[in-house]
C-alpha cells in the first residue's frame, strides 16, 4: 500500500504530479497567482515564485494553465467571477428600486475595499489596453450579468417614477464602478497629497455613504 501511495504522488513522465484534490490545487494556484500578478504585474510575476508558494510545481501550473499568460488570464477571469458571484447573491428583486440600488452600490464599495488585488489586476489589464480581457468569453459573459442586474433595478425605478428617464445601464454601471474603484486605486496618493487618511474607518464610512447618495441623486426623478 505504501508503495502504491508513493506512486500515486510521484511525478510521471508525461504529466504533472498527481493530486487527490485537483480542483483545490487549481484554486490554490489561482489564489497565489492573483497575489503575484497584482503585486508584480504580468511581466514581473514569476512562475517559479508562484510554484514555491503553492502545493504544486511549475509543471503542474503549465499543465493546468498552459503558460504564464494563460495563468494570468485565468486569474483575471477568477477576479471578475468573484465580484459577479457576490452581486448575484444580493437579494434586490424584492426591494424597492431605491433600496435595491443602494444595496448594489454598498456591495460594490465594500467588495472593492476588501479585495484590493482585484483593483490592481484591473489596473494592470488596463496597462495592457485590455488585450487579454478582450479574448475572454468568460469575462464578457460575467459582465453581461452585471449590466442585466443594474438595468433591471433601473427599469423598475423608471416604471415606478422614482428614477429619471434617459440613463443608460452601462453608463450607470460605469459611474458606480468609477466611484468605488477610485476609493482603492487612488487612496494612497490622495491621502499623501492632502494629509488625510482616507482609509481610516470613519473616512471610509463617510465616503461609502457619500458614494451611495451621489448615485441615488444622479438617478432620482
Amino acid at each position: 500500500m505504501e508503495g502504491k501511495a508513493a506512486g500515486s504522488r510521484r511525478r510521471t513522465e508525461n504529466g504533472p504530479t498527481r493530486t487527490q484534490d485537483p480542483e483545490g490545487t487549481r484554486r490554490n494556484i489561482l489564489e497565489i497567482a492573483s497575489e503575484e500578478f497584482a503585486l508584480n504585474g504580468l511581466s514581473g510575476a514569476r512562475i517559479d515564485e508562484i510554484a514555491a508558494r503553492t502545493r504544486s510545481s511549475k509543471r503542474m501550473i503549465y499543465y493546468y494553465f498552459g503558460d504564464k499568460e494563460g495563468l494570468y488570464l485565468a486569474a483575471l477571469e477568477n477576479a471578475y467571477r468573484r465580484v459577479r458571484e457576490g452581486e448575484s447573491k444580493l437579494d434586490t428583486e424584492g426591494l424597492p428600486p431605491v433600496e435595491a440600488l443602494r444595496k448594489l452600490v454598498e456591495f460594490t464599495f465594500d467588495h472593492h475595499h476588501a479585495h484590493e488585488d482585484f483593483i490592481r489586476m484591473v489596473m494592470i489589464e488596463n496597462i495592457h489596453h485590455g488585450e487579454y480581457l478582450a479574448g475572454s468569453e468568460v469575462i464578457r459573459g460575467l459582465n453581461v450579468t452585471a449590466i442585466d442586474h443594474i438595468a433591471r433595478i433601473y427599469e423598475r425605478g423608471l416604471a415606478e417614477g422614482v428614477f429619471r428617464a434617459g440613463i443608460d445601464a452601462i453608463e450607470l454601471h460605469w459611474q458606480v464602478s468609477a466611484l468605488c474603484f477610485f476609493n482603492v486605486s487612488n487612496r494612497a496618493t490622495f491621502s499623501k497629497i492632502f494629509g488625510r487618511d482616507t482609509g481610516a474607518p470613519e473616512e471610509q464610512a463617510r465616503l461609502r455613504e457619500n458614494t451611495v447618495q451621489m448615485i441615488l441623486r444622479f438617478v432620482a426623478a
Side-chain angles (χ1 to χ4, degrees):
M1 291 294 291
E2 183 179 350
K4 184 177 180 181
S8 69
R9 292 191 299 267
R10 188 170 55 246
R11 185 177 298 173
T12 66
E13 193 66 29
N14 297 314
T17 304
R18 296 181 186 177
T19 175
Q20 297 298 322
D21 183 18
E23 188 54 38
T25 299
R26 191 177 188 279
R27 284 196 304 270
N28 177 239
I29 293 170
L30 281 177
E31 179 182 348
I32 299 303
S34 296
E35 293 175 6
E36 288 293 322
F37 286 127
L39 184 63
N40 299 304
L42 174 58
S43 60
R46 296 287 178 264
I47 295 294
D48 284 334
E49 182 64 24
I50 294 169
R53 294 184 57 201
T54 64
R55 301 190 295 264
S56 62
S57 63
K58 285 177 64 175
R59 192 171 184 179
M60 183 174 287
I61 291 172
Y62 290 133
Y63 174 79
Y64 281 124
F65 301 102
D67 54 21
K68 187 166 80 166
E69 291 185 349
L71 177 58
Y72 167 78
L73 179 57
L76 188 65
E77 289 173 343
N78 191 56
Y80 274 98
R81 184 179 292 107
R82 289 177 67 182
V83 65
R84 299 305 171 227
E85 285 177 350
E87 287 174 352
S88 70
K89 294 175 182 175
L90 292 176
D91 183 16
T92 58
E93 294 297 332
L95 294 175
V98 171
E99 289 307 307
L101 186 55
R102 166 183 280 276
K103 192 169 186 177
L104 180 60
V105 176
E106 288 174 342
F107 166 81
T108 306
F109 190 96
D110 293 344
H111 181 278
H112 290 1
H113 176 68
H115 297 88
E116 293 188 11
D117 283 357
F118 170 71
I119 303 301
R120 294 192 191 102
M121 288 284 289
V122 174
M123 292 169 70
I124 288 164
E125 181 58 14
N126 274 282
I127 290 172
H128 293 285
H129 305 289
E131 174 187 349
Y132 297 93
L133 184 150
S136 173
E137 294 290 341
V138 170
I139 292 177
R140 276 198 292 274
L142 288 168
N143 286 301
V144 164
T145 65
I147 301 305
D148 286 346
H149 189 175
I150 203 166
R152 288 196 305 272
I153 294 173
Y154 172 68
E155 287 163 5
R156 287 198 291 117
L158 195 61
E160 294 181 21
V162 294
F163 293 163
R164 65 183 176 89
I167 298 176
D168 180 84
I170 292 178
E171 292 177 5
L172 180 55
H173 177 68
W174 170 284
Q175 299 298 339
V176 174
S177 298
L179 290 168
C180 298
F181 193 96
F182 188 95
N183 178 58
V184 179
S185 66
N186 289 54
R187 184 187 303 152
T189 51
F190 204 90
S191 296
K192 297 296 183 184
I193 289 169
F194 297 105
R196 181 167 164 176
D197 183 8
T198 57
E202 64 275 12
E203 291 278 348
Q204 284 294 291
R206 185 164 55 250
L207 287 168
R208 182 180 189 262
E209 181 58 25
N210 287 345
T211 297
V212 170
Q213 291 302 323
M214 289 175 73
I215 295 299
L216 294 182
R217 292 177 187 183
F218 173 67
V219 301

